[in-house]
Amino acid sequence: MGATRNLLLLGGSGNLGREVVRAFAKRWRVASVDVRANNEAAKSITLSTSRPVSEQANEIRNQLTSFSPRFDAVISVAGGFTMENIKDQSLFANYERMSQVNVVSSLLAAHLASELLVSNGLLVLTGAAGVFKEGHPAMIAYSLAKASVHTLARTLAKSSELPSGTSVVTILPEVMDTPENRAAMPNEDFNKWVKTDKVAALLRQWAEGENRPSSGSFLQLKTVDLKLVAELK
């Protein structure tokens, strides 16, 4: 049996994050970072988003000191979604929230990967299929936040500051099958939605070197005939 591998997961207490922890737990040691604890992870770090981002980064570093000095994969599945148009009074609050949960989490993942990822490791960010090519006028805050994540991913793929051989991969999920989405869209065909457990299993395969996409890849995740398909964009 090979040496145990380590995963640093941002967003480990969300719907997808919990599935990622479960998918990796048997073969990996997982350190989960989120605003809520995930007791299924080997290490759970709870952050306060009211603190400056630099302090959040330092808190993660400090708590990882006794866990592992290096990680084989860093994955960010933290995120959130809002809908609003340019006239809505909620626009500014939503923009701040979307920036925090989507952009800041991705920046933290990338920054920590530059320090903690092993050579030939994997860095995964979470974009969005629906606003990949252009934004949506009814989801301005979300569009702006995810556009920033997509830009960050393209920039990182060209960076020389990540450990040698790092693969930067961005997933672009279509609608995820979550309790919140089912409640918001009860009349949709849930069989067409992306299953979180299947995404988690795919991420583990990539982390273990199986069919890992090349660095700089953007993969649209969709369900076709009840199967998860990762389509290169």
Side-chain angles (χ1 to χ4, degrees):
M1 226 177 142
T4 301
R5 287 175 277 198
N6 297 303
L7 166 66
L8 176 57
L9 176 66
L10 282 84
S13 68
N15 290 302
L16 178 54
R18 291 193 299 271
E19 291 295 346
V20 172
V21 170
R22 293 171 188 139
F24 277 76
K26 290 183 180 179
R27 305 180 193 175
W28 293 61
R29 297 173 71 233
V30 181
S32 167
V33 179
D34 211 324
V35 296
R36 299 182 304 276
N38 184 334
N39 295 325
E40 294 183 71
K43 174 76 174 178
S44 182
I45 300 172
T46 305
L47 294 180
S48 170
T49 56
S50 64
R51 297 173 64 186
V53 181
S54 59
E55 291 185 10
Q56 295 179 46
N58 287 334
E59 177 67 18
I60 296 170
R61 285 192 197 91
N62 292 338
Q63 293 208 37
L64 290 177
T65 300
S66 61
F67 183 79
S68 176
R70 289 288 181 269
F71 289 82
D72 301 270
V74 177
I75 297 175
S76 176
V77 293
F81 173 80
T82 60
M83 293 187 68
E84 70 290 304
N85 61 48
I86 197 65
K87 287 186 175 182
D88 287 337
Q89 295 299 313
S90 61
L91 172 65
F92 302 105
N94 285 352
Y95 175 70
E96 290 180 356
R97 177 169 172 259
M98 289 299 94
S99 295
Q100 178 67 45
V101 299
N102 292 296
V103 184
V104 170
S105 58
S106 299
L107 276 174
L108 280 170
H111 177 68
L112 293 166
S114 73
E115 301 175 353
L116 304 176
L117 198 61
V118 300
S119 298
N120 302 311
L122 175 66
L123 170 61
V124 176
L125 303 181
T126 300
V131 294
F132 180 60
K133 291 186 177 180
E134 59 184 11
H136 195 292
M139 49 182 81
I140 291 178
Y142 180 76
S143 296
L144 288 171
K146 286 300 186 181
S148 294
V149 175
H150 302 155
T151 299
L152 174 63
R154 294 187 183 97
T155 303
L156 291 171
K158 300 175 183 178
S159 175
S160 60
E161 300 304 320
L162 293 174
S164 62
T166 296
S167 295
V168 181
V169 179
T170 306
I171 57 172
L172 305 169
E174 293 189 348
V175 180
M176 303 280 285
D177 189 1
T178 66
E180 293 83 359
N181 284 340
R182 288 193 178 208
M185 297 174 277
N187 297 321
E188 295 295 317
D189 183 355
F190 304 148
N191 288 323
K192 295 181 180 179
W193 289 0
V194 175
K195 309 303 178 185
T196 54
D197 60 334
K198 292 183 179 180
V199 175
L202 180 65
L203 292 175
R204 192 191 70 195
Q205 290 176 15
W206 292 349
E208 294 177 351
E210 182 180 342
N211 298 319
R212 179 183 293 183
S214 60
S215 187
S217 294
F218 288 79
L219 284 300
Q220 183 171 346
L221 304 184
K222 57 185 178 180
T223 296
V224 179
D225 297 329
L226 303 181
K227 295 180 180 179
L228 179 65
V229 174
E231 182 179 285
L232 188 64
K233 301 305 289 182

